[in-house]
Amino acid sequence: MQRWLLLLGVVGLVSTVPTPFDEITPRDGESCGYDSCTDAEPGVLNVHLVSHTHDDVGWLKTLDQYYYGSRNTIQKACVECILNSVVKELWLDPKRKFIYVETAFFWKWWVAQPASVKSQVHTLVRQGRLQFVGGAWSMNDEAASHYQSTVDQFTWGLQKLNDTFGDCGRPRVGWQIDPFGHSREFAANLASMGYDGLFLGRIDYQDKALRLKERTMEMLWRGSDDLGKSSDIFTGVLYNLYQPPAGFCFDVLCDGEPIIDDVSSPMYNLDAKVATFLEVAANMSKAYRTNNILVTMGDDFNYLDASLWFNNIDKLIKYTNLKAIKENLNVKLFYSTPACYLKAVKDANPTLPIKQDDFFPYGSDSHAYWTGYYTSRPTTKWMEREANNYLQTFKILQSLTNLPESNMVILNELKSAVGMMQHHDAITGTEKQHVAHDYERIVSRAVDDAYAIGNQAFNKLLMPEASLVYERCEFNQSQCSVTERSQAFVVTVFNSQVMPKSTLKIDLPVIGDGYSVYDATGTSIPCGTQKLPSELLSMPTRQSNATHSLYFYGKNFPGLGYQNFYVKKGTKEKKTARDSDSKTVTSDDEGSRDIVLENDYIILSINKDSGRMNYTSRTDGTTLSFLAVPGYYSAFEGNNEIAANRSSGAYVFRPNMTSTPVLHTFHDFPVTNVVQSVLQEVHIHYDDSVSVTVGLKDNTLYFYTTLSIDLGREYVLRFQTDLKTDGAFYTDSNGRQMLKRIRNTRPQWNLTLAEPISGNYYPVVQEMYIEDKDLRVVVNVDRARGGASLEDGCFEIMQHRRLKRDDSFGVDEALNETAGGKGLYSIDKVRLQVVSKTKENLINTAETSLRFFSIPQFFVAEAPFSLDKFKTMTNVHSFLKTDLPKGVHLLTLEPWNNKILIRFENYLDKQLSPDYLSVDLTKVFNTIEIRSIKETTLAANIWFEDYKQWEWNTDEEFSESFNKEYGSEGVNIAKEGKKYDDDGFIIKLRAKEIRTFVAEYGVKN
């Protein structure tokens, strides 16, 4: 009875389509999970043979091409065939096991199966013969992905598995076998999701060599110093990436020989095969600390004909075990899974080494540092970031405006699209060009479809009879049919953050000038127009008649709410700033040698001769003199036949230099100095490939770079200061915690570096900074990038890449994005914060960084009514009942099977939030009433009260702070932080803690 209640709780947690219990619950004699594992034997080498296929959710072929087996001239792969064949072969022999990873593919296959096949699969899952590992929608990248998107796509994939298979379908381990480096934040996320272990494929070649030698291939990885022990997770590095031992690939795609056990055949090779495998197993065992080894038996899109694999593995197990028994070899082979292997290791009770940093950057040899993909295909990375912001907005609106449940179809479509984009060959930009176009098609269609939610929600909130039709615009390239064609239109600005926003600059593409803008009360507010830059007008992908940008500042945007503006053309109620207020200056102009921009917070002077910028804070007097230098590296071009001839490519960044990081820069340029009542910015046109706009936004600077680059170039924006940084800089981990980096150094091994530029690049998803004892200089990025500090006081962000050659790691196609015969344009947005390091300032800096990630969404609709009618509408609305404490972020709000799923986080670290922050869930929202809550693990597939973390023995203690102690001699041992009990609906959030709840609620009138 207890088991039935547990399953009821687990399935009820996420179920949207109830599955009959007689398909989910193990019958007498059946067991799943750890209970289904073959016991490891003491005193012998237990060889866990793991049958698997690695199925990319797009790479050389599109998702559908891979699934259906189309275009096999590119790559022979058919996921539908694989799953059909595997299920058939598993059904023939109960000893066989198989694992599957990517829920995107599995679900596409599952919904197309007849009841008879589904019943077979249920049986296989109940008996532990088919096990899911990872289980997210895709095997996500860990460099360019943001933690919000990672958590979402795990939640979505695990929901499908839990909904269908209950507890037997729950993955116990993470399986990140192909991503090109591994992040600390991801490890913390997996631990918080309730995973017991994590297996990795790719780590740096020098790191792996040392680990093989010192038997440190398995470790306890601490994912967060702020979260401490709760973020620890067992982590194992696979011996052979994720491939089988040489000579033991039995797939139709392989050239290896099958095992031939017919002694009468001249092809007989059984004895040699068994002897070779025993030698392989013995060598592998030298790298691990227990009497268990995991041997991966599969590869990319393997098991098209699963009988070839299973028949040969059957023979390998049978004859090797017979030989072991006869010759007393103390070895045992059997079908296993990563979860069963992990259980065997746990039962062996080893003492493990520890890890407290991350696995970036990844180098596969001395000249191949996979740091280019941090930036590759920047427009794709922007599309993913924008789609995620839309997803969060539409989930919130669906939850808080009581919209029809039928909308879940289009909301789920967008979840799937954003989940797909987290794949390690999607957001990374390491796919073929036609695949990138297909990703764009899928995401764009999903966002367009989901716009129906925005239309329903806003029309419901504005007034009962409103019939506004919001249309999607391409603001990133100043293109919007509504603002271009309409004589009057409404702009709805939605802020998905719980933090109110004091001011926001709004730019809209329009034709000509002569516009008036009215705020939510119908009061005219200052606005202006300026001509769009020539490089923007000439973008080949742009389909727009807009000639100008209409800009204005809105004020007092509520948290978790919207504000409307009314715009009409052809009125002259108030003089507006126009192009005549702009002027072009050059270094030859007489008069002051400085251009001065200023607002209430900042004075910025730019010297026309040197380009040097001098920053002064009006708030606390902080000053900084610096250069912002756009430039490029010339990419190395080689034939890839040996390591020294490795080309720069989609994965690998390799500039054509290995010594001083000298950029190719630009010198002679015209400057357009725009000084207007509501806008302070400078537009610098360097050449036809690069222009930069520098401006002020409250207490920050912004740099908007428009790039259309030439072949063989890798463009960066470098900031040069006089700060004494001693080789140290800091980059974020998936947009959350910050990690210290030291130039030319790695925390856990003595680094030999043949590529000192690319080998010092790290992923930057949201933030990077340098600092001295008094001052911190922070750069925020609008999409994932690569970044480095190659000299003291300097740091740079890579912005765009266009290359002549491939790097020969599989894509077989140069990274050469074009449109209209030119290099593809990318408009890059970077924000710079100069911070005096007081606690208050650092808290504000963390908030600013978070705001820049999740910017308010602009929705526009033609106004079929007058300004007078507009004044009667509900033009400002917040879904918040009360303001939340600074440091609290609403990470997730979405519908959840007639309930809602809520995630709150404390985004401050323990230096800034040493105790806890409180949130009363009954006092957060004003359109719904929270009636009950129950906490889950991070991915919402396990009740928190049912999860128990595994504990491990370690060689040494963790340090209190990796960042403080990396590069220093002293080590302070970590101490567990105090735990706090909730008080009913009042939840408490420790530093960097994310908490997830399923809530029952009622809708208020």
Side-chain angles (χ1 to χ4, degrees):
M1 181 64 181
Q2 239 177 352
R3 184 175 184 86
W4 280 86
L5 290 173
L6 174 62
L7 283 166
L8 177 63
V10 172
V11 176
L13 183 61
V14 297
S15 179
T16 54
V17 182
T19 304
F21 271 72
D22 59 358
E23 292 281 31
I24 290 178
T25 311
R27 286 119 191 229
D28 289 342
E30 292 182 336
S31 58
C32 63
Y34 296 122
D35 292 337
S36 67
C37 296
T38 301
D39 290 334
E41 289 187 18
V44 305
L45 177 61
N46 294 277
V47 181
H48 299 249
L49 301 178
V50 175
S51 299
H52 80 103
T53 178
H54 174 57
D55 298 343
D56 290 304
V57 184
W59 179 38
L60 308 183
K61 304 201 294 188
T62 69
L63 185 152
D64 278 357
Q65 288 168 355
Y66 271 136
Y67 179 77
Y68 292 110
S70 174
R71 298 194 67 180
N72 280 334
T73 53
I74 298 175
Q75 183 182 13
K76 190 171 184 179
C78 172
V79 174
E80 182 182 36
C81 309
I82 291 169
L83 289 168
N84 287 339
S85 183
V86 165
V87 169
K88 177 184 174 183
E89 291 300 318
L90 286 176
W91 194 252
L92 295 177
D93 188 340
K95 295 189 297 296
R96 294 171 173 173
K97 294 180 183 290
F98 192 81
I99 63 169
Y100 202 72
V101 184
E102 297 85 3
T103 302
F105 276 137
F106 180 82
W107 195 252
K108 190 175 182 69
W109 176 83
W110 174 259
V111 296
Q113 300 311 302
S116 58
V117 173
K118 287 184 176 181
S119 180
Q120 285 184 328
V121 174
H122 273 295
T123 300
L124 295 173
V125 173
R126 289 197 312 268
Q127 295 176 0
R129 294 154 61 190
L130 174 61
Q131 292 186 15
F132 297 99
V133 298
W137 199 244
S138 64
M139 186 185 294
N140 62 274
D141 171 61
E142 298 182 44
S145 58
H146 190 273
Y147 73 97
Q148 184 177 56
S149 296
T150 300
V151 171
D152 271 0
Q153 72 110 10
F154 264 86
T155 302
W156 182 225
L158 295 175
Q159 180 182 7
K160 292 295 189 184
L161 298 179
N162 212 4
D163 188 47
T164 308
F165 301 109
D167 192 56
C168 287
R170 175 165 70 88
R172 267 60 175 182
V173 300
W175 187 249
Q176 293 291 106
I177 58 172
D178 198 26
F180 329 122
H182 304 282
S183 78
R184 195 182 188 204
E185 181 61 29
F186 182 77
N189 292 161
L190 272 195
S192 297
M193 291 176 191
Y195 284 81
D196 298 320
L198 166 62
F199 292 91
L200 312 178
R202 300 181 189 274
I203 66 169
D204 186 272
Y205 75 104
Q206 294 181 63
D207 189 10
K208 186 172 183 178
L210 185 63
R211 290 183 181 280
L212 289 169
K213 179 181 177 181
E214 297 187 348
R215 301 180 77 198
T216 56
M217 293 284 279
E218 294 170 340
M219 68 210 80
L220 189 63
W221 190 2
R222 174 149 293 181
S224 167
D225 292 335
D226 293 301
L227 299 177
K229 185 178 179 180
S230 66
S231 69
D232 294 350
I233 189 166
F234 171 94
T235 302
V237 180
L238 300 177
Y239 187 86
N240 200 37
L241 190 56
Y242 55 84
Q243 294 145 348
F248 290 87
C249 184
F250 303 118
D251 200 79
V252 293
L253 302 176
C254 300
D255 297 327
E257 289 295 309
I259 296 175
I260 301 171
D261 58 350
D262 180 0
V263 293
S264 65
S265 171
M267 304 295 292
Y268 178 82
N269 62 3
L270 174 63
D271 294 339
K273 283 282 191 181
V274 169
T276 300
F277 190 84
L278 285 171
E279 184 179 354
V280 167
N283 286 332
M284 287 181 64
S285 69
K286 296 174 184 176
Y288 298 90
R289 296 192 178 187
T290 75
N291 61 330
N292 296 275
I293 58 172
L294 188 160
V295 181
T296 45
M297 302 298 282
D299 206 335
D300 291 354
F301 298 97
N302 275 201
Y303 290 78
L304 278 165
D305 182 351
S307 65
L308 293 175
W309 265 110
F310 284 119
N311 289 339
N312 279 278
I313 295 174
D314 289 346
K315 291 178 184 179
L316 185 63
I317 292 173
K318 174 183 175 181
Y319 291 113
T320 305
N321 287 344
L322 282 173
K323 181 180 178 67
I325 292 170
K326 288 178 181 178
E327 301 179 16
N328 197 26
L329 297 180
N330 292 326
V331 65
K332 174 185 175 182
L333 275 62
F334 50 92
Y335 281 105
S336 189
T337 67
C340 291
Y341 170 78
L342 179 63
K343 176 181 180 297
V345 172
K346 184 70 173 72
D347 290 343
N349 197 29
T351 299
L352 300 175
I354 63 171
K355 185 172 181 65
Q356 209 163 346
D357 58 314
D358 64 4
F359 289 95
F360 287 115
Y362 166 57
S364 55
D365 63 51
S366 58
H367 296 284
Y369 282 91
W370 297 40
T371 56
Y373 80 92
Y374 303 159
T375 306
S376 297
R377 301 192 189 277
T379 59
T380 299
K381 287 175 166 64
W382 164 253
M383 176 193 69
E384 183 279 332
R385 180 73 56 93
E386 183 184 46
N388 176 67
N389 284 340
Y390 276 124
L391 176 60
Q392 305 312 319
T393 292
F394 294 142
K395 289 195 298 186
I396 289 167
L397 292 174
Q398 178 71 23
S399 300
L400 294 179
T401 59
N402 195 31
L403 297 182
E405 189 176 348
S406 57
N407 284 348
M408 292 307 297
V409 174
I410 54 177
L411 190 60
N412 291 343
E413 178 193 5
L414 185 53
K415 286 183 189 178
S416 298
V418 177
M420 170 195 69
M421 285 307 303
Q422 307 316 306
H423 168 58
H424 60 271
D425 283 307
I427 193 172
T428 54
T430 54
E431 68 275 26
K432 280 185 177 290
Q433 186 63 57
H434 80 280
V435 179
H437 288 323
D438 194 61
Y439 286 143
E440 292 160 8
R441 176 190 65 83
I442 292 170
V443 172
S444 183
R445 184 182 64 187
V447 172
D448 287 344
D449 290 347
Y451 245 68
I453 295 174
N455 270 291
Q456 291 173 30
F458 292 132
N459 278 292
K460 186 174 184 178
L461 292 165
L462 294 175
M463 56 182 179
E465 67 272 22
S467 56
L468 292 174
V469 179
Y470 290 93
E471 299 178 30
R472 186 181 170 202
C473 298
E474 302 280 351
F475 290 120
N476 63 315
Q477 53 184 6
S478 294
Q479 175 179 317
C480 183
S481 125
V482 173
T483 61
E484 293 169 33
R485 71 171 187 259
S486 305
Q487 291 299 305
F489 55 89
V490 172
V491 182
T492 299
V493 180
F494 184 79
N495 178 16
S496 64
Q497 301 257 4
V498 295
M499 301 168 285
K501 196 168 183 67
S502 58
T503 60
L504 178 67
K505 181 190 173 193
I506 298 165
D507 284 288
L508 303 170
V510 294
I511 299 174
D513 57 14
Y515 288 84
S516 296
V517 179
Y518 303 87
D519 67 13
T521 67
T523 302
S524 178
I525 61 175
C527 65
T529 56
Q530 62 178 340
K531 288 181 180 179
L532 293 172
S534 59
E535 58 269 22
L536 192 61
L537 293 172
S538 63
M539 287 175 63
T541 56
R542 188 170 179 267
Q543 298 177 341
S544 170
N545 295 317
T547 57
H548 288 66
S549 172
L550 169 66
Y551 57 86
F552 56 93
Y553 277 91
K555 297 181 179 180
N556 302 319
F557 293 88
L560 204 66
Y562 71 85
Q563 182 176 173
N564 286 337
F565 299 88
Y566 188 86
V567 181
K568 61 180 179 178
K569 186 176 183 179
T571 60
K572 297 183 179 180
E573 296 179 14
K574 179 177 289 191
K575 181 184 182 297
T576 59
R578 295 184 178 86
D579 298 306
S580 59
D581 297 308
S582 305
K583 58 184 178 182
T584 299
V585 297
T586 69
S587 58
D588 296 329
D589 289 347
E590 297 180 0
S592 172
R593 308 311 297 160
D594 289 338
I595 302 167
V596 179
L597 306 179
E598 56 185 314
N599 62 14
D600 292 340
Y601 305 92
I602 297 170
I603 301 172
L604 182 72
S605 65
I606 306 173
N607 185 271
K608 288 183 288 188
D609 298 322
S610 66
R612 179 163 291 277
M613 301 183 185
N614 290 291
Y615 167 101
T616 302
S617 168
R618 281 181 152 156
T619 305
D620 58 17
T622 297
T623 61
L624 179 71
S625 179
F626 68 97
L627 290 169
V629 183
Y632 64 89
Y633 295 104
S634 293
F636 186 89
E637 299 170 21
N639 59 19
N640 297 309
E641 291 181 358
I642 60 173
N645 290 339
R646 180 73 62 191
S647 282
S648 207
Y651 299 98
V652 170
F653 165 43
R654 191 184 181 197
N656 194 12
M657 63 176 71
T658 57
S659 55
T660 305
V662 178
L663 289 178
H664 299 278
T665 57
F666 311 91
H667 300 288
D668 299 323
F669 50 85
V671 180
T672 302
N673 180 20
V674 182
V675 183
Q676 299 173 341
S677 58
V678 296
L679 187 63
Q680 291 276 316
E681 64 181 27
V682 170
H683 184 76
I684 306 171
H685 183 86
Y686 291 93
D687 67 7
D688 290 339
S689 66
V690 181
S691 66
V692 179
T693 298
V694 184
L696 313 182
K697 171 64 177 75
D698 296 336
N699 60 348
T700 68
L701 310 179
Y702 59 80
F703 296 80
Y704 291 178
T705 308
T706 303
L707 296 159
S708 173
I709 66 177
D710 296 328
L711 266 172
R713 294 182 176 184
E714 319 207 34
Y715 278 69
V716 304
L717 180 61
R718 178 182 290 174
F719 296 95
Q720 299 174 197
T721 77
D722 295 325
L723 268 63
K724 306 301 181 185
T725 54
D726 296 326
F729 60 106
Y730 297 77
T731 63
D732 67 66
S733 182
N734 302 120
R736 202 152 190 262
Q737 57 181 298
M738 303 300 297
L739 277 177
K740 185 178 183 179
R741 316 297 189 180
I742 300 178
R743 190 166 55 253
N744 299 329
T745 306
R746 300 291 187 264
Q748 291 196 303
W749 78 90
N750 294 323
L751 178 65
T752 300
L753 197 55
E755 297 289 339
I757 298 176
S758 58
N760 279 301
Y761 256 72
Y762 291 85
V764 179
V765 176
Q766 184 169 306
E767 178 181 343
M768 175 182 179
Y769 67 80
I770 59 174
E771 65 179 6
D772 60 16
K773 61 184 180 64
D774 299 315
L775 200 65
R776 178 176 295 180
V777 183
V778 180
V779 64
N780 297 119
V781 295
D782 67 340
R783 72 202 78 178
R785 299 291 189 195
S789 175
L790 302 175
E791 295 177 327
D792 275 6
C794 302
F795 61 112
E796 65 192 47
I797 296 292
M798 186 172 286
Q799 298 174 296
H800 206 342
R801 317 177 69 226
R802 187 179 173 211
L803 307 171
K804 295 180 181 180
R805 295 181 181 271
D806 178 45
D807 51 24
S808 198
F809 282 114
V811 180
D812 197 27
E813 181 180 281
L815 180 66
N816 180 17
E817 296 184 284
T818 61
K822 296 182 177 180
L824 184 67
Y825 275 87
S826 176
I827 301 175
D828 174 274
K829 300 177 183 178
V830 166
R831 182 159 290 175
L832 194 74
Q833 303 183 63
V834 181
V835 186
S836 176
K837 290 165 56 177
T838 66
K839 182 176 179 180
E840 180 182 3
N841 285 346
L842 294 178
I843 290 174
N844 290 335
T845 299
E847 181 179 309
T848 299
S849 296
L850 183 59
R851 287 182 188 277
F852 192 62
F853 164 73
S854 183
I855 59 175
Q857 299 289 104
F858 299 170
F859 297 85
V860 293
E862 191 165 359
F865 44 73
S866 67
L867 177 61
D868 288 338
K869 181 68 173 178
F870 174 79
K871 293 178 181 179
T872 69
M873 296 163 56
T874 308
N875 289 320
V876 180
H877 177 76
S878 173
F879 292 105
L880 291 178
K881 186 185 293 187
T882 184
D883 289 339
L884 296 175
K886 182 167 284 195
V888 171
H889 176 220
L890 177 64
L891 184 64
T892 303
L893 182 66
E894 66 177 90
W896 197 258
N897 189 31
N898 298 320
K899 301 179 178 65
I900 55 173
L901 185 70
I902 306 173
R903 286 191 186 93
F904 275 106
E905 69 168 316
N906 180 347
Y907 59 81
L908 302 175
D909 61 35
K910 59 188 176 185
Q911 282 188 301
L912 303 178
S913 180
D915 296 318
Y916 63 86
L917 300 175
S918 298
V919 178
D920 187 342
L921 294 182
T922 65
K923 296 181 180 179
V924 175
F925 308 111
N926 58 25
T927 60
I928 61 173
E929 178 185 11
I930 303 296
R931 294 172 176 169
S932 71
I933 57 172
K934 190 167 185 180
E935 187 168 9
T936 73
T937 51
L938 182 59
N941 68 323
I942 312 170
W943 295 120
F944 189 79
E945 64 188 18
D946 294 334
Y947 169 65
K948 180 174 173 55
Q949 186 180 27
W950 285 11
E951 296 187 3
W952 297 86
N953 303 317
T954 58
D955 288 338
E956 56 184 308
E957 299 290 334
F958 287 104
S959 69
E960 180 181 31
S961 169
F962 168 78
N963 285 350
K964 285 183 179 179
E965 288 151 26
Y966 179 29
S968 65
E969 296 182 0
V971 174
N972 294 317
I973 301 303
K975 298 178 181 178
E976 278 302 294
K978 184 178 179 181
K979 299 201 181 321
Y980 302 95
D981 294 328
D982 295 338
D983 183 7
F985 288 98
I986 301 175
I987 64 169
K988 297 176 181 178
L989 300 164
R990 294 180 296 137
K992 289 293 182 183
E993 185 175 30
I994 305 173
R995 297 185 64 187
T996 308
F997 299 88
V998 172
E1000 292 183 337
Y1001 70 101
V1003 178
K1004 296 181 180 179
N1005 293 327

